[in-house]
Amino acid sequence: MMMKRYLPHPLLSLALLIVWVFLVNEVSAGAIVFGAILAVIIPLITASFWQDRPKVGNVIAICEYGLVVLWDILVANVIVAGLILFRKAESLETKCVVVPLDLTSPEAITTLAGTITMTPGTVTIDLSADAKSLLVHCLHAPDAQGVIDDIKDRYERRLKEIFE
Amino acid sequence: MSLTLIVLLPFIGAVLPAIMIRAGRNACAIATGSVTLLALILLMAKAPAVIGGEVFQVSYDWLPELGLNVTFFLDGLGLLFATLILGIGLLIIIYARFYLSKDDPMGRFYVFLLLFQGAMVGIVLSDNILLLLVFWELTSLSSFLLIGYWKHLPEGRQGARMALAVTGGGGLAMIAGMLILGNIVGSYDLSVILQNADMIQASPMYVPALVLILLGCFTKSAQFPFHFWLPHAMAAPTPVSAYLHSATMVKAGIFLMARMWPVLSGTPEWFYIVATTGLVTMVLGAWIAIFKHDLKGLLAYSTVSHLGLVTMLLGFGTPIAAVAGVFHIINHATFKAALFMTAGIVDHETGTRDIRRFGGLINLMPIAGTIGIISAASMAGIIPFNGFLSKEMMLEEAWHTVWMDQSWFMPVLATIGAIFSVAYSFRFIFHVWLGKPRDENLPHHPHDPPFGMWAPPAFLTILVILIGLFPAAIAGPIVAATSAAVIGGALPEYHLALWHGLTPALGMSIIAIVVGAVLLMRHGSLLSATANLSRPDAKAMFDCGMAKLVTVTRFATEKLHNGSLQRYLAITIFAAIAIGLTGFYAEPDHTAGTRELLAVSPAAAIGWVLLVVTCLAAVVMHHNRLLSLLLVGVIGLIVSLGFIYLSAPDLALTQISVEVVTVILMLLALNILPKETPKESLAGRKMRDGVISIAAGLGIGSAIWAIMTRELPNSISAFHLANSKTEGGGTNVVNVILVDFRGFDTFGEIIVLGIAALSIFALIETVSGSEAAKRLASWVVKNRRSADRHPMMMVIATRVMLPLSLMVGVYIFLRGHNEPGGGFIAGLVVSVALVMQYMASGFGWTQNRMKVRYHGMIGLGVIAAAITGASAWVAGLPFLTSGFVHVHLPIVGEFELASAMGFDLGVFLTVVGAVMLALAKLSQVERMAEHADINRHPMDYDPSVQTTTPEKEA
Amino acid sequence: MEFLVASSIGLLTTCGTYLLLRGRTFPVVVGLALLSYAVNVFLFAMGRLTINMPPILREGVTEYTDPLPQALVLTAIVISFGMTALIVVLSIRAFLEIGNDHVDGRPVGEPSEAGDKN
Amino acid sequence: MGDWIVVPIVLPAVVAALIVLAVRHDIVLQRIFSITSTLALVAISLVLMIFASTNAPEMYALSDWPAPFGIVLVLDRLSAMMVFLTSVLGLGVVLYSSSEWDKRGKHFHALFQFQLMGVNGAFLTGDVFNLFVFFEVLLIASYGLMLHGAGAERLKAGMQYVVVNLTGSSLFLVGVGMIYSVTGTLNMADLAIQVANIAPGDAAILRAGGLILLLVFCVKAALVPIHFWLPGTYANAPAPVAALFAIMTKVGAYSVLRVYTLVFGGTAGDMAWLAEPFILPAALITVTVGMVGVVAAKRLNSLVAFSVIGSMGTLLTAIGLFTPEGISAGLYYLLHSTFSAAALFLIADLVVSRRGQYGDSLHTAPVFHQSGFLAVLFFIGAIGMAGMPPISGFIGKLQILNAARDGDTMIWVWSVILVTSLICIIGFGRAGSVLFWKSASVQGEIVVEDANWPVLPIVAACGMLGCMIALTVFAGPISAYLNGVADQLFDTSQYIRAVLGDGALAQFGQ
Amino acid sequence: MIDYALNFGFICVSLALLMNLWRLTIGPTTADRILAVDTMTINAIALLVMYGIAKGTSMYFEGALLLAMFGFVSTVAYCKFILRGDIIE
Amino acid sequence: MPFIVELIISLLIVIGGLFLLIGSFGMLKLRELLPRLHAPTKATTVGVGGVLIASMLFFWVERGHFTIHELLITLFLFLTAPITANLIAKAYMLLNVDPHTDLPPSEQNEGWATFDPVGPEGYDPSEEYEEKES
Ligand code: NA
Ligand code: NA
């Protein structure tokens, strides 16, 4: 009970503690103690701005997702660089594709949209008003359905695991 | 002491009528009269001694540095004038009690009258010419009030203003003259000045001083060519005319000439200026008086003429002429005051002052008629009245006087003046009192006035007769005493008597009376003969002059202050360039610096190109306001990078933080303001502005170039660097300077921010009910707008960023003393984090979750800073003295606690409070324009909450 | 380097001044912003230019840039920020109250042309 | 006096903060706080002035850093007098506004106290950059106060006021920067020493910087041709604020006096009397422009505003002589013109508020309530402003004329001051005649909501007039004090000794 | 070697900045301009980090951090301005 | 400093710089905003990432302690880049794109958020403007 009251979001607090250590750029007892204090206080102060935070389970899933995304970013960036450098602008098959969503948590949808943007070749440019589809712009997508499937399979599936 | 009291009594007593008027008109008049009476008694108590040759003096320090002291003295001249002022003043007070109607505010009248009286007494008793100037100008002011007493009459108002302008202006000239006089002698005390005639007349500044002083005298005494104001001042109630314009104020100029006679007279300059002016005034005034149909106008010009006469006598510069002048002053005061009062009676009883409507009034008003006729006869110089005596003396002196080697000139003109004088005096007698009534339909049916009204003139008329019959006995002593004072030496041989034998003067007198009578008989034909002569109308000229003055000043002022900020700024900037260049090139002593220059790195060069292009783009494209905002943001970015490059991390951080808040602010503003700046500058204007701007840029650029290329002299900052760590407890010297070495600057700086926020709050809070509110109410959103107010992705992202940003804020705050950072930047970081919430999740939702009041934060911040500063007092140290300790805690380790941190906390709180208050308040205007309600939910639609019914926008 | 900084300050001043002399509030505000950049850099540069010598005391380092102008510029930045905020709000308020954003001496209440509407 | 020297700055700041923090919703409490604080300021500053009149200048080292490294405050005759003047004026203003004005907008009292803080700080500080900071404090507070209650004309004028002063602030920094760049110091006493010993090759930069700074001060002092902000601002500011602004122009004059006698004064070697060639001619033109504007005015408030320009010109004429006599005379006139401007603005407001829809336009309107009483006040105020006796303005002008009598410039000073006095008299005469006399000939009645006798405003307005009368009556002792001020200003070693000690004086070569 | 790399990096970023500037000035849409400024900010961050490496100091880290935070906020503000006019509603 | 570390750092810097350049180049080269959006949002982010990692490595090796705060900047950029891209795209679409002809339908009950507010009937924001005019 006390725990819940004073540490409503342990994960957030942990993240903040890490951020603090990042910031002060040293892993010392002083830094951690002070960071821990802040990590408790700041979520308390800001609790009202994020009242129903999603339950996020499975740290392993999160890590897995993170690594996948990171890898995709690295790889696909090279491809985009190639497209930019070596393809004539007119020859790019840019198009908008619609990705229907199964996710309902705003946090999850936002993460997915962000992932899509950060992985090259695609940018989430809009969301349907009822948050049930994403509008994704592809820089060069001869196969639109492939893109959609890729998104749903690689990212949405994993996010579903994390957020539900 | 009692001398001072004589002067002060009227001033002190001036409150009495204001109070006593509540007790009734009689009480008011009695109170006023008793003040004057008391002063008069005090004066009379000294009269015998003064006539005996004694001089009373009293002196108090007022402003000794300047030589302005309260010094009074009473000699014969002072006595004469003070007696006239107080004596006739008393009569006037009585007369006015009956003259003023029930509708006239009598209390006010008496207040003004007493003020005037005090000022006049002050003039004649002052022994210090600066003090005299004080009273001199006071008479101008109080007479302004008296002349304008009947404020509903346009003539009164205009006359008052004209009198003020002329006499006030003359007074200002006299100030200059008196200061010169004082400068020559080395003292402003009259008694000293009067001893130094030789020194004054030998001084090269004698003529300027003389002219300036005479300007004061001539304006006050209505001498040609300043005579024009006096008749217009006749719009005043008759008691005022009688008092000011016959007996007292106009004689102030005469008094001063008499007062200064010993030191100023006797030179050719004096003679030609004063005597000629007097002569011209005498003749001209008398000539005009003949044709005046207004009773008071006639008397007014006759006064001008008589003042000219006295002036001329004083101008002769001979002792005997001075005696004649003094004597005429007395005589004129008696008959002219009586005449004015009589005129007032006529006006009062008949309801008109037009001479053409009178005739035979003596039958209806025998008492007034008798008084009037006797007084007028005296004015005409008819034996045996007093006017005859002094006129004879005048003619006698004129006979002896040679003007520009012409011995005929003075006698002839003096005789002509006398002829005219007889003519208008007879006109007063024959056209008003005698003969047949010319108008049966006078506004009122005239009869003799009450005793109170005719007694004062009657008393004066008795004096007219008595002095005429027994001049030596009645007027002799005072004339002697006065003349002695005027001449400042031995009295000449003279006899005050009706009969001096068959003198040239008698002949001239007789000619005057005969020719004058003939003139009057021919009055009608004279009138028609002169009707076509173009006479300069002084009033029209004055009015025209004033109108021209107003037009010209208005034109100049409006042309100069055309309300265009552009002009004001252009001039200011131009002035800055000009004065800077003047300073720089005042002497050719500038040497170029020898400091070694830094090498240009490629990055720096590119940064420079970026800046140049962006700046130029910002000017070229400034019509697109959003774009210019973006460009300014880029400039800010480059400047920040420049600061970092040039070893100023704190500056960079601050610039970056300030930049974003400014952008937000400007965007909020731009939503209301037009999005485009129309192209409306003309080519010429662009050219002008371009030249000014380039000059400014070149100036500043060259200045900083000159500075940067030379070595920095020993700077106080060496001390800051040396002591920052050891004494200030911080390694970030900039921060230690801000919170410690120059913490007071920072104290002021946060207050600036706080004030800015409070002012912004006030500016927007007062929108309601104003024109602005109406505009906002009818505001039409013309831009195409996105359908979602609060995009979901952004809401989520900012939720994550809020705690992160707060963390960063704390970090920046804590490290400020030793590393780049500090309370200000931390405050901006936190503010921006909060603003992000407002932007993403909407004002309503966010505001509902804010638990602090921004106002309070500002106040608290300032107080925190002040308390930190004041806590040093406890230790007996000056405000803002900082202290620091190194604290050791288990686990945490050692850290430093500096009082400067408390100060920085104040900075932090103020910044957050100020920024948030300003932004929150500004966004209120936007909402008024949007006609939108504040939102209760952070997102437009939350897909995880299925029960939420989607809401349409309001 | 000094020349780049001097010319930048000069250019910022020129551009700022030119905009300051326009007849509407917004360019005036922008001009003031540019001018305050110029002045801040000017004030900063009066301590002379140095590279990589920030005034943060370090063991063994003896050469630092002049910290005082930096502190002064910081104060100046904060103050001009407050001033900018105020003038921005003032320009809105004045625009709403007067109905136009002229600063060229046009009398209050005089109708404004099309460009004035939002 | 130790810590008391900083109190005139800290006290209003804290009171303002308290008002904002605790009582911003309660106007009565705000008034109590504000008036009490101002009364305390009057008392404290009186004590400071009495102290200063009998003691050598005293320094107060903020943060306990020795001069010239930290910021110092300096209490001498001049600063003490200016602080006292501010407090007394402030008391009048706060009393005046506490009846009704303070409710027309928000945060009046907080801004007012901050304004006092800024003005006092500017007077007390001995550091040029700190002077800049206090300039900004007093300016931004004045922006807030000027815009109090808003209104189209006021906003328009406010815009100009703010922009011109922001430009001025930029120039201030440029000037300070140039001076620092060749002297390496910001402390005024230290500057005096450094300027006297300036390297010859640096002199041109220093001169240019010094003169740009002079221009900035003269912007505040409303010297022609950089006076343009004043007529609109003063004429459109809320009356009590306009009255308070009477001290704002004096801050400019004060700064000229301080910096150009101490730093660029007689001991400055090649830089001696740097401001001298500029002030006097500009001041004479200023008098003319101001008084011409008085005649030209179509509105009462603008008439008073232009008369303020004229009075600033007169004041700077005296200062521009740069002689002890001139400065002493100028300071007397400074005291006088502060009160007379304040009094006139307050009286004008009383008149305007009773003229209903006729406002302050100088056109004939029917008689208004308390017209007679206000006519008396206006008359006294006007003769004060025009320099007619017996009010202090006359004495002030006499002193100025007297001080100018030995110089080559006498003919100019005398003729300009005397002729403009006449113009001013004519202008005020016309205005008074229209307002108080001509109304008698107009039928009808002006109906205003509140025709009662407003006690506090009348007390305040009469108080300002009373101060002028006190200046007149006690002209002797006041002038003696002012001579002391001038002596201190001319004997800069007193100031330098107080700030830097005797050692610095040796370096100074005295 | 790192020095050469850094010089290369500086040149790259500088060129990138110039390209951003070009996009900023030619537009054509406001969105393009916002994009250009946003990219500029990111390039500036990289420039700062590289500069830190070059000078062997982490003094400029906070500058980069704040640029990252505030660059975002101002971009968002510009976009919201175009999207809704009122950025805080 | 070991050569290999130096090499890695140098490479990271060079790659980072190149990506930054490519990102900006792409933004210049591509024809329309939406394609342009791809270049900076990603290439630059990766570029900065590379430089940041180089910095971490550099200080780790050079100074002997592992500096991690660079990660924070990366975190911020990753967090913000998608939002930026999304908003810029929305801003662009609002003014330059016709949702009916240029965009695929959302295949849901509601249209794209930029153009259709939440609710049963979709509507054009320009109508809102028309209504308020009248
Ligand atoms: Na700091
Ligand atoms: Na981004």
Side-chain angles (χ1 to χ4, degrees), chain B residues 62-66 68 108 130 133-134 137-138 140-141 144-145 148 151-152 157 160-161 164-165 168-169 172 175-176 179-180 182-183 188 205 546 549-550 553-554 557-558 560-561 563-565 568-569 571-573 575-576 579-580 582-584 586-587 589-591 700 703 706-707 710 712-717 719-720 723 727-728 740-745 747-749 751-752 755-756 758-759 761-763 765-766 853 855-856 858-860 862-863 866 873 877-882, chain D residues 3 6 9-10 13-14 17-18 20-21 24 60-66 68-71 73 104-107 111 114 117 127 129-130 133-134 136-137 140-141 144 147 150 155 160 163-164 167 171 174 178 180-186 190 200-205 207-208 211-212 215 225-228 231 278 289 292-293 295-298 306 379 383 388-390 394-395 398-399 401-402 405-406 414 418 421-422 425-426 429-430 433 436-438 440-441 472-473 475-476 479-480 483:
Chain B
W62 185 9
L63 185 47
E65 279 87 1
L66 181 62
L68 166 58
R108 184 184 302 162
L130 297 182
L133 288 173
V134 171
E137 293 291 57
L138 260 183
S140 298
L141 287 172
F144 169 76
L145 295 173
K151 53 194 180 183
H152 55 275
R157 299 193 297 266
R161 273 172 28 213
L164 181 67
L172 290 167
I175 291 175
L179 284 172
I180 295 175
N183 203 17
Y188 291 121
M205 294 303 284
M546 279 295 148
L549 178 70
V550 172
T553 56
R554 207 162 265 181
T557 304
E558 281 170 5
L560 190 61
H561 307 85
S564 165
L565 180 64
Y568 303 171
L569 287 174
I571 292 177
T572 306
I573 292 165
I579 201 168
T582 310
F584 196 86
E587 277 170 50
D589 54 1
H590 179 71
T591 54
I700 292 260
I707 288 167
R710 61 185 57 233
L712 181 65
N714 292 331
S715 164
I716 52 172
S717 52
F719 178 90
H720 300 144
N723 292 282
E727 306 288 322
D740 196 344
F741 291 110
R742 300 185 65 85
F744 207 50
D745 277 348
F747 187 59
E749 160 201 322
I751 284 177
V752 167
I755 299 172
L758 296 182
S759 306
F761 175 85
L763 262 178
E765 200 68 2
T766 49
R853 291 284 159 263
H855 270 109
I858 298 173
L860 208 58
V862 173
I863 290 174
W873 286 339
L877 291 166
F879 189 71
L880 278 178
T881 307
S882 73
Chain D
D3 290 324
V6 78
I9 304 171
V10 174
V14 170
L18 275 176
V20 173
L21 178 65
R24 64 176 179 275
Y60 185 72
L62 289 152
S63 306
D64 207 20
W65 294 105
F69 309 111
I71 294 173
L73 304 181
R104 295 195 196 171
K106 294 284 167 189
H107 288 311
L111 292 172
F114 277 135
M117 177 231 178
D127 183 287
F129 192 80
N130 196 236
V133 172
F134 280 112
E136 299 306 297
V137 172
I140 197 161
L147 299 165
L155 284 163
Q160 300 197 343
V163 174
V164 169
T167 312
L171 288 171
V174 171
M178 291 172 85
Y180 174 82
S181 73
V182 290
T183 58
T185 189
L186 296 168
D190 196 27
D202 290 344
I205 294 175
R207 267 197 313 270
L211 286 179
I212 288 177
L215 182 88
I226 39 186
H227 67 290
F228 288 102
F278 299 94
V289 168
V292 161
V295 178
K298 289 176 180 165
F306 273 103
F379 183 73
I383 61 176
M388 296 282 278
F394 181 72
I395 297 174
L398 268 187
Q399 294 195 62
L401 297 176
N402 188 51
R405 68 183 184 185
D406 291 327
W414 281 28
L418 290 171
S421 291
L422 177 63
I425 293 167
I426 291 171
R430 283 171 54 85
S433 169
F436 300 103
W437 284 354
K438 229 172 172 177
S441 59
T472 315
V473 173
S479 285
N483 287 341

Side-chain angles (χ1 to χ4, degrees), chain D residues 413-431:
Chain D
V413 174
W414 281 28
S415 41
V416 169
I417 288 193
L418 290 171
V419 170
T420 54
S421 291
L422 177 63
I423 298 177
C424 181
I425 293 167
I426 291 171
F428 271 102
R430 283 171 54 85

